[in-house]
Amino acid sequence: MRQTISLLSLFLISVAILSSCTKEKKKEISSSPLDESSIAVNLVAVQEIEHSLPIISSGLVATETESRLSFKVGGVIKTIFVKEGQLVTKGQLLASLDLTEIDAQVSQARNSLDKTKRDLERGQRLFKDSAATLEQIQNLQTATQVAEESYRIASFNRLYSTIRATNSGRVIRKFLNEGELASPGSPVLIVNSSAQDEWIVKIGLPDVDWVRVKSGDRAKISIDAYPNETLDAEVQTVNEGADALSGLYQAEVKVRPGKYKLASGLFARVEIAPSAKLKLKSIPIEALVEGSGRNAYVFVVGDSKTVVRKIAVQVAYLDGKQAFISGGLENVQKVITSGSAFLTEKSVITIIQK
C-alpha cells in the first residue's frame, strides 16, 4: 500500500514539472519579437553591371560569291554540261543554247552591213562624179553605222548564248534541262565558291537588335548537322535599309568552318554577342511584381525597417533568373525577394537573414 502511494506521488510530481516547463516554453514564445501579423522577407543586394543581351536569329548557309547564271538572250537549251554538285573551274563551259536562230541573226546582220558598205562605196564614186548629193552620201554613211552596230549586237548576243563559270566552285542548283526554253536573264544554274570556304549566313534583324549590332561583332553558329558543336563567326555587313516585305534589316555573318564541311542551304542558328554594353541594375526575377510590358514594380524596405515601399522600375530584358533594370533603382541598395508576392504598401515585415 505504501509502495502504491509512493508511485502515485512520483507521477503527480512529474506532471507538475512537465506543466511548469510547458508554461515556461509558452511564455518564451509569447515573448519572441516575431509578430504573427508580419510577413517574413529576404533582401538581395542590387548589382550594377555592364551587360548586353545576346541576339538570337537564324538563316541559311550560303557563300559570298554565289552566282545565278543565265543566258543573255532567250532560246532553246541545247546542252547542259554539268550536274548538281559537280565541281567547276573558272571559265569552264557549263551550258549552251541551240545556235540556229542566233547564227542566222548574226549572218543577217553581217550581210546587211556588207550591203550598206557597198552602197556607201558606190555613192562616194557617184558623188565624185557629181551624180549624187551630199545628203545621199550622209544617209548612206548613217545606214552603214547602224548596220555596224546591229552586227555588234548580234555578235555580242551570240557570245552570251553560252554560260561559263565566273568562279571556281560547285554547282548547287540546276533550274532548267536540255530542250527547255530559257528566257533572257532567267537563272539556269547557281554556282558558289565553296572551294574557297567563303561561307556566310544571311539573317534578318528587327530594329531593336539592328541598333545594337555592328560589323566585327563576334558570333556563334549552331547547325543541326553538328548538334554538339558551335562554329566561330563574325558579323560582316549590316544593311541600313529594311526589307520591304519583312521589315527586317539584313545582316551577313561570316562563318569560319574550320574542319567542318558545309553546304549551301543548311539551316543555322546564330547567336551574336554585341560589343556595345549598357550599365544596368541586376536583381533576381522573383523580386518583380505586377509586370506589364517593360514596366514592373519592386518592394524595398522603408525607413522604419518594418514597413515597405513599392517603387516602379523599367525592365530592359530578362535573362534566365536575372532581371536587368534600366531605370527606377538609382538610389536603391537592396530589394525584397522572398515574400514579395504577399506584400502590399501597408504590409509589416520581418527581415530574415539567411
Side-chain angles (χ1 to χ4, degrees):
M1 186 65 177
R2 289 179 179 177
Q3 186 176 2
T4 302
I5 294 172
S6 298
L7 291 174
L8 181 58
S9 300
L10 290 173
F11 175 74
L12 293 175
I13 292 171
S14 299
V15 171
I17 292 172
L18 290 172
S19 177
S20 176
C21 291
T22 302
K23 290 180 179 179
E24 291 294 330
K25 189 173 182 180
K26 288 182 177 179
K27 184 178 181 180
E28 290 177 4
I29 293 175
S30 63
S31 63
S32 173
L34 181 61
D35 189 350
E36 293 181 357
S37 64
S38 66
I39 299 175
V41 298
N42 289 326
L43 300 180
V44 173
V46 177
Q47 298 180 350
E48 184 174 0
I49 61 175
E50 288 188 351
H51 189 268
S52 182
L53 183 68
I55 296 172
I56 308 297
S57 187
S58 60
L60 299 179
V61 175
T63 57
E64 291 188 75
T65 54
E66 187 174 281
S67 303
R68 303 172 69 88
L69 304 179
S70 61
F71 294 108
K72 167 69 169 58
V73 295
V76 178
I77 299 176
K78 181 180 182 180
T79 309
I80 296 180
F81 299 97
V82 293
K83 299 179 180 180
E84 288 187 359
Q86 181 176 334
L87 289 172
V88 297
T89 58
K90 184 176 182 180
Q92 179 179 339
L93 180 63
L94 305 181
S96 66
L97 293 175
D98 188 326
L99 299 178
T100 302
E101 180 182 5
I102 298 173
D103 284 343
Q105 292 173 349
V106 173
S107 179
Q108 183 180 12
R110 184 174 57 248
N111 291 336
S112 177
L113 176 61
D114 292 341
K115 178 181 180 302
T116 55
K117 285 182 177 180
R118 290 194 302 269
D119 291 343
L120 177 60
E121 291 175 356
R122 188 180 303 110
Q124 288 174 339
R125 290 194 297 268
L126 293 174
F127 181 72
K128 289 181 180 180
D129 297 336
S130 300
T133 64
L134 177 61
E135 181 182 0
Q136 292 175 329
I137 298 301
Q138 290 175 339
N139 291 338
L140 290 174
Q141 290 175 339
T142 301
T144 302
Q145 292 173 354
V146 171
E148 287 178 347
E149 297 302 327
S150 298
Y151 178 67
R152 287 180 59 189
I153 292 173
S155 300
F156 182 80
N157 287 339
R158 189 189 187 287
L159 179 64
Y160 284 92
S161 61
T162 59
I163 295 177
R164 295 183 179 273
T166 56
N167 291 289
S168 297
R170 188 181 300 271
V171 178
I172 61 173
R173 188 73 57 84
K174 183 175 71 170
F175 293 102
L176 298 176
N177 295 309
E178 295 176 354
E180 292 188 88
L181 180 63
S183 301
S186 177
V188 177
L189 300 168
I190 295 181
V191 178
N192 66 16
S193 60
S194 59
Q196 303 175 22
D197 288 333
E198 296 178 350
W199 298 103
I200 60 172
V201 178
K202 296 181 179 181
I203 60 175
L205 298 174
D207 50 4
V208 293
D209 290 335
W210 174 78
V211 298
R212 300 196 296 125
V213 175
K214 64 180 181 179
S215 299
D217 285 349
R218 301 295 179 183
K220 294 288 185 181
I221 306 295
S222 300
I223 299 175
D224 290 339
Y226 307 104
N228 299 321
E229 303 293 338
T230 57
L231 308 181
D232 291 331
E234 180 180 305
V235 177
Q236 184 168 263
T237 59
V238 181
N239 289 355
E240 295 188 1
D243 183 81
L245 297 178
S246 65
L248 300 177
Y249 294 83
Q250 189 180 74
E252 292 184 0
V253 180
K254 184 176 178 62
V255 186
R256 301 186 184 91
K259 62 180 181 180
Y260 299 102
K261 180 182 178 181
L262 299 181
S264 290
L266 289 176
F267 180 79
R269 289 175 294 276
V270 182
E271 180 178 327
I272 303 173
S275 56
K277 298 183 182 296
L278 300 175
K279 287 186 177 180
L280 301 171
K281 305 284 187 178
S282 174
I283 60 174
I285 196 171
E286 60 264 25
L288 298 177
V289 294
E290 299 181 14
S292 176
R294 294 188 176 273
N295 299 317
Y297 293 89
V298 297
F299 284 103
V300 298
V301 178
D303 296 334
S304 64
K305 305 299 182 184
T306 58
V307 296
V308 296
R309 289 189 299 114
K310 184 180 179 182
I311 61 175
V313 296
Q314 290 76 49
V315 181
Y317 45 79
L318 305 176
D319 186 10
K321 296 182 179 181
Q322 294 296 114
F324 295 92
I325 308 301
S326 58
L329 296 179
E330 287 74 13
N331 299 316
V332 176
Q333 301 298 324
K334 294 183 179 181
V335 295
I336 296 174
T337 54
S338 299
S340 60
F342 306 101
L343 296 177
T344 65
E345 293 184 275
K346 298 181 181 180
S347 296
V348 177
I349 62 168
T350 299
I351 300 173
I352 298 176
Q353 300 295 338
K354 289 187 177 181

